Amino acid sequence: MKNSLTHLAPLLLVIVAGAQLTCVTHHGLTPWKGGGFGMFATINSPSNRFLSIVGTDGDGKRYRILLQPGRFTAPAELSSEFIGKLLTIPTRRDLAGLATAVLNAHIAPIGTGVLERLRRQNLSAEVAAAVEAIPILEVAGVVKRPGAAVDLREVTVAALRLRFDAGAATATLEQIGGHGKALREPEYKLR
Amino acid sequence: MTVRADSHQSPHKVVIASIESAILAESVYTIVLRLTLVLVLLHGASSAFIEMPIRILAILLLAFPALLGRKELWWSAAGLLALGNALQWYSIDNHKYLINYWVVACAMSMHQPEPAVYLRVNSRVLVGLVFVAAALWKVFGGEYFDGSFMYLTFLTDARLERLAAAISDQPIEAFRRGTDALRLIGQLGIEQVAVPLVGSATVKSIALIVSMSGLVYESLVALTHVLPTNRLYYLRHILLIGFILITYLLLPVSGFAFMLMVAGLAQCRDESSGLKMGYMFVFAGVQFTRIPWQQLLTLPF
């Protein structure tokens, strides 16, 4: 089999690595994955990526929504596999899918134990202020039921990556690409 | 090949001698094909439903020497790996891709008039391309070349915090406060808030030195493998074996270590008995990466 495919394996490596570079550049894929051999070359690994889930109620009040990883297996958008994929390659469609799932989920206040642990942490003033800035709720069930802490009208989900300023030795999170949004249409009552 | 028991030799020396004879008597090509099948068994499949047929294929090829050269079975293995990898392309580690390319190369070798030579060349080129890609990412990725990646790793990796604390003469608790705060803003998804970590000029300098040393080493591996000259034969092996031993004792990705070992062995000529034995020792040594000894670094001594 002597033809242009004689060195098929190296050719495949080059093609896949090229495709990976395109996905990294244009679709937010982490360089650690996808066959480009970019692991241990950048801080932008899946474990240094996070989700920002912000809900807004009918009065425009904003809430930070916590989603515990691995807590739900259904719907698919709340599963750890989906979240893992989202952090690796945060497409707008998947971000919107998660936003819709959170919008339809049962939202509850976070446990007092979690709150106390948050308050006990020796945080810098800036971080503490950011934590306290808007109320924190959590996804407590996959379907909204009576007694929910808030009736969300809008949920916005974005993927965040870690950035490190070596000079100042500070780390921040910044958004990767766009965000996904889910809206609940207001109910109109006819008089 | 049988080894006669010398009445003056202890039993364990006889066993070692017979192991050595068996390794040296076998052709590199055959050893590489068999080790590739073991590699595929242990580290090849990336999903549960692909694992079953892959295991069946690999076991068939290993158990029945007459089947070892059946190209149809090797192409089937390559195809199954590709299917599994395609379904999980965004989440699988990069060595899964490399294992797939390698199995393709093994399948292709069975169509060649000189299969061992074909595999030797493809191994060199594949390893070269992998290290070229890795080096390019480190140079142009934007966070390695200036030492940032390694500096952050020193400041936040639980296995290195004790070392960083000792170097910077800061309490470990200070490092942990930083990583806890980082974990918190990550959990809550709070962006554009600067989390202070423990800075240290000494740790930063050491991180830069480690980064550059790693880059230079990987670049040397890349260069020696990409250049086709036979003059680099022994240097290639020394660099590759060194890379496997240094890297995979620190970062226990045994699949990648095993893959590189097989690729290195495939580049050995049959008469290079020392190198063949050397790779067997590397193979044995790499098994120790499965012991989670790095966790000892996180214990509160």
Side-chain angles (χ1 to χ4, degrees):
Chain A
M1 197 192 273
K2 280 190 180 177
N3 51 34
S4 57
L5 294 180
T6 299
H7 292 296
L8 178 59
L11 187 62
L12 287 172
L13 188 155
V14 170
I15 291 170
V16 170
Q20 185 254 12
L21 182 60
T22 305
C23 288
V24 168
T25 310
H26 297 293
H27 301 290
L29 176 70
T30 165
W32 285 58
K33 301 288 183 180
F37 302 97
M39 61 282 184
F40 303 107
T42 159
I43 292 165
N44 194 7
S45 64
S47 58
N48 281 335
R49 287 184 167 195
F50 308 92
L51 287 175
S52 162
I53 307 175
V54 175
T56 310
D57 66 13
D59 298 324
K61 191 173 177 190
R62 294 169 72 232
Y63 303 86
R64 220 174 277 289
I65 312 289
L66 203 57
L67 176 61
Q68 302 282 9
R71 186 171 171 181
F72 306 104
T73 52
E77 290 81 2
L78 295 181
S79 68
S80 54
E81 289 77 19
F82 187 86
I83 303 294
K85 185 188 173 195
L86 199 53
L87 292 174
T88 305
I89 180 163
T91 61
R92 289 237 177 161
R93 188 180 70 174
D94 286 348
L95 289 167
L98 177 59
T100 303
V102 172
L103 189 65
N104 295 327
H106 182 73
I107 306 297
I110 57 171
T112 45
V114 176
L115 257 179
E116 287 308 313
R117 272 202 306 277
L118 284 177
R119 290 194 177 121
R120 267 206 306 269
Q121 287 209 15
N122 193 354
L123 303 170
S124 68
E126 189 184 355
V127 174
V131 171
E132 301 281 353
I134 58 178
I136 304 168
L137 303 173
E138 69 171 352
V139 177
V142 299
V143 175
K144 201 166 86 163
R145 53 183 190 269
V150 67
D151 186 19
L152 295 175
R153 292 291 173 204
E154 179 184 298
V155 172
T156 306
V157 177
L160 309 177
R161 60 148 294 178
L162 193 63
R163 282 277 186 204
F164 178 58
D165 180 345
T170 56
T172 49
L173 297 182
E174 69 175 34
Q175 189 169 325
I176 304 165
H179 57 260
K181 197 176 272 200
L183 292 163
R184 193 192 314 282
E185 293 301 324
E187 291 168 9
Y188 293 100
K189 288 184 182 172
L190 294 175
R191 288 193 186 179
Chain B
M1 178 178 281
T2 55
V3 176
R4 268 202 332 207
D6 186 323
S7 59
H8 300 295
Q9 276 192 319
S10 58
H12 77 272
K13 281 189 181 172
V14 170
V15 171
I16 290 170
S18 63
I19 292 173
E20 194 177 344
S21 300
I23 292 170
L24 296 177
E26 198 67 85
S27 74
V28 167
Y29 184 65
T30 305
I31 297 174
V32 164
L33 288 184
R34 290 200 188 124
L35 285 177
T36 299
L37 292 166
V38 176
L39 172 66
V40 165
L41 262 175
L42 295 177
H43 301 288
S46 45
S47 69
F49 83 93
I50 289 292
E51 196 172 353
M52 266 181 347
I54 281 283
R55 279 175 176 257
I56 292 168
L57 264 175
I59 289 168
L60 269 177
L61 286 161
L62 274 168
F64 302 103
L67 295 178
L68 192 63
R70 295 295 309 190
K71 50 176 96 66
E72 303 86 356
L73 296 179
W74 281 92
W75 279 116
S76 298
L80 283 168
L81 287 175
L83 178 61
N85 290 342
L87 293 172
Q88 306 266 340
W89 70 272
Y90 50 85
S91 68
I92 57 173
D93 289 335
N94 287 304
H95 66 269
K96 301 275 189 185
Y97 287 90
L98 186 57
I99 291 171
N100 206 160
Y101 304 143
W102 181 246
V103 173
V104 167
C106 290
M108 282 290 293
S109 74
M110 291 169 193
H111 297 269
Q112 310 303 318
E114 291 183 276
V117 173
Y118 178 87
L119 218 48
R120 202 181 299 151
V121 171
N122 270 262
S123 165
R124 180 179 58 72
V125 173
L126 280 172
V127 170
L129 287 175
V130 165
F131 278 84
V132 164
L136 287 176
W137 269 112
K138 288 176 171 68
V139 171
F140 296 109
E143 291 169 331
Y144 185 94
F145 200 64
D146 63 354
S148 303
F149 168 76
M150 202 56 69
Y151 187 21
L152 181 68
T153 304
F154 268 101
L155 298 185
T156 56
D157 192 315
R159 296 165 297 181
L160 295 174
E161 63 182 10
R162 194 167 288 134
L163 177 64
I167 293 170
S168 62
D169 199 23
Q170 301 262 9
I172 282 186
E173 290 70 29
F175 287 84
R176 288 179 186 158
R177 271 199 297 277
T179 51
D180 285 347
L182 208 51
R183 197 175 301 126
L184 177 63
I185 65 159
Q187 207 178 359
L188 297 176
I190 301 175
E191 56 183 299
Q192 303 301 340
V193 169
V195 175
L197 301 173
V198 178
S200 161
T202 311
V203 173
K204 192 177 172 189
S205 300
I206 291 173
L208 185 60
I209 292 168
V210 171
S211 301
M212 289 300 110
S213 304
L215 177 58
V216 166
Y217 197 99
E218 282 191 4
S219 302
L220 282 174
V221 177
L223 200 60
T224 53
H225 280 77
V226 164
L227 295 173
T229 170
N230 282 332
R231 286 187 212 170
L232 295 172
Y233 177 72
Y234 285 105
L235 185 58
R236 273 185 210 124
H237 288 292
I238 291 168
L239 287 171
L240 187 60
I241 290 172
F243 180 84
I244 295 169
L245 291 174
I246 296 167
T247 307
Y248 296 107
L249 284 174
L250 298 171
L251 303 165
V253 187
S254 54
F256 220 140
F258 195 163
M259 177 64 246
L260 290 179
M261 191 278 295
V262 171
L265 183 63
Q267 293 177 57
C268 293
R269 298 179 200 127
D270 274 308
E271 58 272 21
S272 301
S273 50
L275 277 174
K276 277 166 80 172
M277 288 305 300
Y279 277 105
M280 290 298 109
F281 278 114
V282 169
F283 170 69
V286 151
Q287 303 315 306
F288 286 94
T289 64
R290 301 187 73 81
I291 299 171
W293 64 269
Q294 295 90 352
Q295 290 178 17
L296 292 174
L297 297 173
T298 64
L299 291 177
F301 289 125

mmCIF file of all heavy atoms in Angstrom, chain B residues 258-282:
data_model
loop_
_atom_site.group_PDB
_atom_site.id
_atom_site.type_symbol
_atom_site.label_atom_id
_atom_site.label_comp_id
_atom_site.label_asym_id
_atom_site.label_seq_id
_atom_site.Cartn_x
_atom_site.Cartn_y
_atom_site.Cartn_z
ATOM 1 N N PHE B 258 3.236 4.508 28.975
ATOM 2 C CA PHE B 258 3.260 3.201 28.317
ATOM 3 C C PHE B 258 3.342 3.384 26.795
ATOM 4 O O PHE B 258 4.096 2.711 26.104
ATOM 5 C CB PHE B 258 1.990 2.436 28.725
ATOM 6 C CG PHE B 258 1.997 0.961 28.452
ATOM 7 C CD1 PHE B 258 1.080 0.126 29.081
ATOM 8 C CD2 PHE B 258 2.879 0.383 27.558
ATOM 9 C CE1 PHE B 258 1.063 -1.239 28.832
ATOM 10 C CE2 PHE B 258 2.864 -0.990 27.288
ATOM 11 C CZ PHE B 258 1.948 -1.794 27.924
ATOM 12 N N MET B 259 2.538 4.328 26.273
ATOM 13 C CA MET B 259 2.520 4.573 24.832
ATOM 14 C C MET B 259 3.899 5.011 24.336
ATOM 15 O O MET B 259 4.393 4.520 23.330
ATOM 16 C CB MET B 259 1.463 5.643 24.516
ATOM 17 C CG MET B 259 1.386 6.062 23.049
ATOM 18 S SD MET B 259 0.873 4.764 21.910
ATOM 19 C CE MET B 259 2.349 4.556 20.943
ATOM 20 N N LEU B 260 4.524 5.945 25.067
ATOM 21 C CA LEU B 260 5.843 6.428 24.651
ATOM 22 C C LEU B 260 6.889 5.317 24.743
ATOM 23 O O LEU B 260 7.810 5.243 23.924
ATOM 24 C CB LEU B 260 6.259 7.632 25.505
ATOM 25 C CG LEU B 260 5.476 8.923 25.249
ATOM 26 C CD1 LEU B 260 5.969 10.031 26.180
ATOM 27 C CD2 LEU B 260 5.601 9.376 23.798
ATOM 28 N N MET B 261 6.728 4.460 25.744
ATOM 29 C CA MET B 261 7.653 3.344 25.880
ATOM 30 C C MET B 261 7.551 2.409 24.680
ATOM 31 O O MET B 261 8.564 1.999 24.102
ATOM 32 C CB MET B 261 7.341 2.592 27.187
ATOM 33 C CG MET B 261 8.373 1.568 27.606
ATOM 34 S SD MET B 261 8.214 -0.029 26.782
ATOM 35 C CE MET B 261 6.638 -0.588 27.408
ATOM 36 N N VAL B 262 6.323 2.095 24.276
ATOM 37 C CA VAL B 262 6.120 1.221 23.115
ATOM 38 C C VAL B 262 6.686 1.880 21.856
ATOM 39 O O VAL B 262 7.353 1.234 21.039
ATOM 40 C CB VAL B 262 4.619 0.895 22.943
ATOM 41 C CG1 VAL B 262 4.367 0.175 21.633
ATOM 42 C CG2 VAL B 262 4.118 0.049 24.106
ATOM 43 N N ALA B 263 6.423 3.188 21.714
ATOM 44 C CA ALA B 263 6.929 3.909 20.539
ATOM 45 C C ALA B 263 8.454 3.917 20.523
ATOM 46 O O ALA B 263 9.085 3.775 19.472
ATOM 47 C CB ALA B 263 6.393 5.338 20.529
ATOM 48 N N GLY B 264 9.054 4.096 21.701
ATOM 49 C CA GLY B 264 10.513 4.077 21.785
ATOM 50 C C GLY B 264 11.069 2.710 21.433
ATOM 51 O O GLY B 264 12.039 2.581 20.684
ATOM 52 N N LEU B 265 10.434 1.685 21.964
ATOM 53 C CA LEU B 265 10.883 0.316 21.681
ATOM 54 C C LEU B 265 10.790 0.020 20.185
ATOM 55 O O LEU B 265 11.668 -0.638 19.610
ATOM 56 C CB LEU B 265 10.028 -0.675 22.480
ATOM 57 C CG LEU B 265 10.394 -2.146 22.358
ATOM 58 C CD1 LEU B 265 11.802 -2.392 22.901
ATOM 59 C CD2 LEU B 265 9.396 -3.013 23.111
ATOM 60 N N ALA B 266 9.734 0.540 19.551
ATOM 61 C CA ALA B 266 9.535 0.294 18.118
ATOM 62 C C ALA B 266 10.669 0.886 17.284
ATOM 63 O O ALA B 266 10.897 0.452 16.152
ATOM 64 C CB ALA B 266 8.204 0.877 17.664
ATOM 65 N N GLN B 267 11.381 1.876 17.850
ATOM 66 C CA GLN B 267 12.478 2.488 17.105
ATOM 67 C C GLN B 267 13.791 1.725 17.275
ATOM 68 O O GLN B 267 14.800 2.091 16.664
ATOM 69 C CB GLN B 267 12.675 3.938 17.567
ATOM 70 C CG GLN B 267 11.510 4.840 17.203
ATOM 71 C CD GLN B 267 11.706 6.242 17.739
ATOM 72 O OE1 GLN B 267 12.704 6.886 17.434
ATOM 73 N NE2 GLN B 267 10.769 6.707 18.543
ATOM 74 N N CYS B 268 13.775 0.696 18.111
ATOM 75 C CA CYS B 268 15.001 -0.073 18.341
ATOM 76 C C CYS B 268 15.257 -1.036 17.187
ATOM 77 O O CYS B 268 14.327 -1.671 16.684
ATOM 78 C CB CYS B 268 14.888 -0.889 19.631
ATOM 79 S SG CYS B 268 14.825 0.099 21.115
ATOM 80 N N ARG B 269 16.516 -1.161 16.806
ATOM 81 C CA ARG B 269 16.872 -2.202 15.852
ATOM 82 C C ARG B 269 16.950 -3.523 16.619
ATOM 83 O O ARG B 269 17.213 -3.532 17.819
ATOM 84 C CB ARG B 269 18.233 -1.901 15.222
ATOM 85 C CG ARG B 269 18.238 -0.606 14.436
ATOM 86 C CD ARG B 269 19.614 -0.322 13.847
ATOM 87 N NE ARG B 269 19.718 1.093 13.528
ATOM 88 C CZ ARG B 269 20.702 1.897 13.936
ATOM 89 N NH1 ARG B 269 21.676 1.424 14.695
ATOM 90 N NH2 ARG B 269 20.730 3.163 13.600
ATOM 91 N N ASP B 270 16.763 -4.627 15.926
ATOM 92 C CA ASP B 270 16.777 -5.932 16.596
ATOM 93 C C ASP B 270 18.100 -6.204 17.295
ATOM 94 O O ASP B 270 18.142 -6.853 18.342
ATOM 95 C CB ASP B 270 16.470 -7.060 15.596
ATOM 96 C CG ASP B 270 14.975 -7.272 15.459
ATOM 97 O OD1 ASP B 270 14.324 -7.431 16.516
ATOM 98 O OD2 ASP B 270 14.461 -7.256 14.331
ATOM 99 N N GLU B 271 19.198 -5.675 16.733
ATOM 100 C CA GLU B 271 20.513 -5.952 17.336
ATOM 101 C C GLU B 271 20.801 -5.058 18.546
ATOM 102 O O GLU B 271 21.801 -5.257 19.232
ATOM 103 C CB GLU B 271 21.621 -5.789 16.287
ATOM 104 C CG GLU B 271 21.693 -4.426 15.636
ATOM 105 C CD GLU B 271 20.803 -4.298 14.401
ATOM 106 O OE1 GLU B 271 19.844 -5.088 14.262
ATOM 107 O OE2 GLU B 271 21.047 -3.388 13.587
ATOM 108 N N SER B 272 19.936 -4.074 18.817
ATOM 109 C CA SER B 272 20.161 -3.185 19.970
ATOM 110 C C SER B 272 19.635 -3.850 21.241
ATOM 111 O O SER B 272 18.625 -3.436 21.810
ATOM 112 C CB SER B 272 19.454 -1.845 19.774
ATOM 113 O OG SER B 272 19.879 -1.192 18.629
ATOM 114 N N SER B 273 20.335 -4.879 21.699
ATOM 115 C CA SER B 273 19.830 -5.659 22.834
ATOM 116 C C SER B 273 19.795 -4.817 24.110
ATOM 117 O O SER B 273 18.877 -4.942 24.923
ATOM 118 C CB SER B 273 20.688 -6.909 23.047
ATOM 119 O OG SER B 273 22.059 -6.552 23.081
ATOM 120 N N GLY B 274 20.808 -3.927 24.276
ATOM 121 C CA GLY B 274 20.828 -3.087 25.472
ATOM 122 C C GLY B 274 19.611 -2.181 25.541
ATOM 123 O O GLY B 274 18.989 -2.020 26.590
ATOM 124 N N LEU B 275 19.249 -1.591 24.401
ATOM 125 C CA LEU B 275 18.089 -0.701 24.372
ATOM 126 C C LEU B 275 16.794 -1.478 24.609
ATOM 127 O O LEU B 275 15.901 -1.003 25.313
ATOM 128 C CB LEU B 275 18.010 0.028 23.032
ATOM 129 C CG LEU B 275 18.875 1.281 22.902
ATOM 130 C CD1 LEU B 275 18.812 1.821 21.491
ATOM 131 C CD2 LEU B 275 18.471 2.346 23.898
ATOM 132 N N LYS B 276 16.723 -2.675 24.022
ATOM 133 C CA LYS B 276 15.515 -3.489 24.237
ATOM 134 C C LYS B 276 15.318 -3.755 25.718
ATOM 135 O O LYS B 276 14.221 -3.580 26.263
ATOM 136 C CB LYS B 276 15.636 -4.824 23.481
ATOM 137 C CG LYS B 276 15.265 -4.752 22.011
ATOM 138 C CD LYS B 276 15.719 -5.980 21.244
ATOM 139 C CE LYS B 276 14.790 -7.157 21.424
ATOM 140 N NZ LYS B 276 15.149 -8.289 20.525
ATOM 141 N N MET B 277 16.419 -4.182 26.377
ATOM 142 C CA MET B 277 16.321 -4.452 27.820
ATOM 143 C C MET B 277 16.012 -3.171 28.567
ATOM 144 O O MET B 277 15.248 -3.165 29.535
ATOM 145 C CB MET B 277 17.629 -5.066 28.324
ATOM 146 C CG MET B 277 17.867 -6.500 27.891
ATOM 147 S SD MET B 277 16.503 -7.607 28.325
ATOM 148 C CE MET B 277 16.480 -7.442 30.112
ATOM 149 N N GLY B 278 16.612 -2.070 28.113
ATOM 150 C CA GLY B 278 16.375 -0.786 28.766
ATOM 151 C C GLY B 278 14.903 -0.412 28.767
ATOM 152 O O GLY B 278 14.350 0.017 29.782
ATOM 153 N N TYR B 279 14.264 -0.587 27.623
ATOM 154 C CA TYR B 279 12.836 -0.267 27.565
ATOM 155 C C TYR B 279 12.003 -1.203 28.433
ATOM 156 O O TYR B 279 10.980 -0.805 28.986
ATOM 157 C CB TYR B 279 12.341 -0.286 26.116
ATOM 158 C CG TYR B 279 12.610 1.016 25.401
ATOM 159 C CD1 TYR B 279 13.636 1.118 24.456
ATOM 160 C CD2 TYR B 279 11.860 2.154 25.688
ATOM 161 C CE1 TYR B 279 13.907 2.316 23.823
ATOM 162 C CE2 TYR B 279 12.120 3.354 25.062
ATOM 163 C CZ TYR B 279 13.137 3.431 24.133
ATOM 164 O OH TYR B 279 13.408 4.631 23.503
ATOM 165 N N MET B 280 12.429 -2.449 28.552
ATOM 166 C CA MET B 280 11.700 -3.363 29.435
ATOM 167 C C MET B 280 11.789 -2.883 30.879
ATOM 168 O O MET B 280 10.825 -2.955 31.631
ATOM 169 C CB MET B 280 12.259 -4.781 29.316
ATOM 170 C CG MET B 280 11.951 -5.456 27.993
ATOM 171 S SD MET B 280 10.166 -5.671 27.718
ATOM 172 C CE MET B 280 9.881 -4.488 26.441
ATOM 173 N N PHE B 281 12.986 -2.388 31.256
ATOM 174 C CA PHE B 281 13.128 -1.845 32.609
ATOM 175 C C PHE B 281 12.273 -0.602 32.775
ATOM 176 O O PHE B 281 11.667 -0.375 33.835
ATOM 177 C CB PHE B 281 14.601 -1.515 32.908
ATOM 178 C CG PHE B 281 15.396 -2.713 33.340
ATOM 179 C CD1 PHE B 281 16.431 -3.209 32.555
ATOM 180 C CD2 PHE B 281 15.109 -3.356 34.533
ATOM 181 C CE1 PHE B 281 17.155 -4.325 32.946
ATOM 182 C CE2 PHE B 281 15.829 -4.482 34.934
ATOM 183 C CZ PHE B 281 16.851 -4.963 34.135
ATOM 184 N N VAL B 282 12.222 0.231 31.733
ATOM 185 C CA VAL B 282 11.370 1.435 31.781
ATOM 186 C C VAL B 282 9.919 1.016 31.964
ATOM 187 O O VAL B 282 9.188 1.593 32.770
ATOM 188 C CB VAL B 282 11.528 2.270 30.487
ATOM 189 C CG1 VAL B 282 10.460 3.358 30.418
ATOM 190 C CG2 VAL B 282 12.906 2.886 30.427
#
